[in-house]
Structures are given as C-alpha cells and as structure tokens.
Amino acid sequence: MDRAATNPGTDGFVDRGEVARFDALAATWWDEAGPMRVLHRFNPVRLAYIRDALCRRFGRDPQTPFPLDGLTICDVGCGGGVLSEPLARLGAQVTGLDPAEQNIAVARAHAESAGVPVDYRGETIEAVVAAGQTFDAVLIMEVIEHVADMPAFVRTACAAVKPGGMLFGATLNRTMRSFAMAIVGAEYVLGWLPRGTHDWEKFVTPEEFGRAIRAGGLDVTDTIGVVYNPLTDGWRTSRDKAVNYMVASERRA
C-alpha cells in the first residue's frame, strides 16, 4: 500500500518501511484463512458498494454479467489484487498500483493463473498522475490510514479522476471504539491482523476525509459505515461509522 511522506523524495510519497512490511506479507494475500482473512470477508461488501455506485453514475444495470464493461478503474495500493480481480471480472479495465514489488508479483501471478486481465504496476498514484493518466474511478481502499500526509495523498488520487468520474475510499474512523476493536481486539486479542498493522493516530474521521476530497475538486456523495456480524462471520453496511466506513465521491462532468 502507498504511504505518503510529508517531504516526498525520489520515491515519491512512498515510505519504504511500510512497503517492506507489506512485502513480507505478500505470499498470504490469497490465503483466506491467513493474515488477510478479514479483508476477504470484507471484500464482498466493498465490491458491491463500488459496483452499485458506478452503475448508478454511468447508467448501468448491476445485475448484468459485466456491468462495468469498458470503465477504467485504478486500484491504488492494490496489494495482491483481492479487489482488482473481481472488478475486472465485472468487465472493468483495471490498473492496480502498488510500490511493494512482492505484492505486484503475487497479484500478477494470481491474475495470470485465473485468466483475469489486470494491468498491475509497481508504481505510485503520483507517478500515474504526473504521466497525465486519468480513470473513470479511482479506489483508495484501506490505504489512507497508512499514509503520513493524508490530505496530499487524497488530493493526488483525486487528480486521477476523469470529469464525471468517481473516487472511492474505505478506512477506519479515529474513535475510542476503533482503538478498542481495530487495534486491541483485531490485532492483540483475536489475532485477525498482524500486530502493528495500524496506528490509531493515523485513523481518519469522515469529516477529515471529506475535506481532503473536496480540496481535490470532488463532491462527497455518500458516506456509510461497515460493521462486523459475529453470528454470520461477515460484514454489512450500516449507519454506524464509528469504526469502519466507506466514502463515494464524484467529479462534476
């Protein structure tokens, strides 16, 4: 995942320490019982949220086999491709970005074996923006809580959105409940995530996220919470945004 630096140098906004940590986890991306188990359980919720919002925006039927056919999507901090692949299966032309070389290697190998076309690049979003490339949708899912300069990172991601396009984000709210559940519970008690995965001080409130998106020239159109149901071992959308939440935004045509 990308991690912004307050003073980007030759590596752009990337923090190499953060990249090294995700590189070390690369081989576990597609192990649904491993360290990425929570992400796999969360994936259907975020996939449906993105699909349905894009279908509304672009006048598509989400029940058709390939509702995102022809739409260009950039998945920033794509990791092993857990979200990129299913979006490509829905017909989108997906570009996956991640500066962690092992993540890209795993993502490419898995997509090739599955026969799913995804353009994986070991690049940053700022490099893509500098090259002048734009997309119908840009995804910054579970990324901004790993960056140092969140507003600058979000503005850069917004710059990659075409007129009429959308930006989606998912992150953790900075509340005492998120500290108790996402760090103490998920990392130390339940062991769902490796210890040290998150830094509570870098969690982002919906208000902060919204300000950064508007500074990037987009309008926030939806903010929705996501909660875990232990009875079904699954996730669902909710009005409760105290821990996890997702955001959709649009650039006016």
Side-chain angles (χ1 to χ4, degrees):
M1 293 183 180
D2 283 321
R3 181 173 179 175
T6 54
N7 184 24
T10 57
D11 284 340
F13 290 123
V14 175
D15 182 316
R16 287 298 159 187
E18 191 81 3
V19 170
R21 184 157 60 81
F22 282 100
D23 254 337
L25 293 170
T28 69
W29 274 106
W30 289 94
D31 180 1
E32 296 188 21
M36 302 300 176
R37 177 183 179 278
V38 175
L39 186 63
H40 282 277
R41 302 301 294 173
F42 183 68
N43 211 40
V45 176
R46 61 181 187 165
L47 178 64
Y49 183 72
I50 294 166
R51 178 202 63 199
D52 292 350
L54 287 175
C55 284
R56 288 192 298 271
R57 182 65 169 169
F58 291 98
R60 308 292 183 86
D61 181 355
Q63 301 306 314
T64 59
F66 305 105
L68 305 184
D69 185 39
L71 295 181
T72 56
I73 298 179
C74 182
D75 184 8
V76 183
C78 64
V82 173
L83 182 58
S84 295
E85 271 196 34
L87 287 167
R89 291 182 186 275
L90 294 177
Q93 298 174 21
V94 181
T95 298
L97 306 180
D98 202 301
E101 295 179 2
Q102 292 302 313
N103 284 351
I104 291 296
V106 167
R108 285 174 177 163
H110 194 276
E112 183 177 351
S113 66
V116 181
V118 180
D119 178 17
Y120 287 115
R121 306 178 190 174
E123 298 179 6
T124 62
I125 185 61
E126 54 270 22
V128 170
V129 168
Q133 189 169 7
T134 56
F135 304 85
D136 294 311
V138 174
L139 315 181
I140 47 175
M141 312 294 283
E142 292 77 45
V143 174
I144 64 169
E145 67 270 25
H146 296 283
V147 305
D149 189 346
M150 182 277 294
F153 177 82
V154 173
R155 289 196 303 270
T156 302
C158 288
V161 179
K162 289 181 179 180
M166 300 190 71
L167 179 135
F168 296 89
T171 192
L172 289 149
N173 200 349
R174 193 173 62 255
T175 63
M176 292 312 299
R177 275 179 59 194
S178 70
F179 180 83
M181 297 178 69
I183 295 182
V184 177
E187 296 185 17
Y188 289 84
V189 178
L190 298 173
W192 283 354
L193 299 169
R195 293 184 179 184
T197 297
H198 292 115
D199 179 347
W200 182 79
E201 292 184 355
K202 291 180 180 175
F203 289 3
V204 180
T205 68
E207 293 76 18
E208 291 167 343
F209 201 174
R211 283 197 297 270
I213 289 171
R214 288 189 291 274
L218 277 66
D219 298 320
V220 175
T221 55
D222 185 57
T223 304
I224 192 166
V226 186
V227 298
Y228 175 71
N229 185 342
L231 297 178
T232 62
D233 189 26
W235 296 78
R236 62 176 177 83
T237 55
S238 167
R239 288 182 293 179
D240 182 359
K241 299 183 285 287
V243 182
N244 295 83
Y245 67 96
M246 296 187 292
V247 174
S249 57
E250 299 174 354
R251 182 183 297 283
R252 295 177 185 177

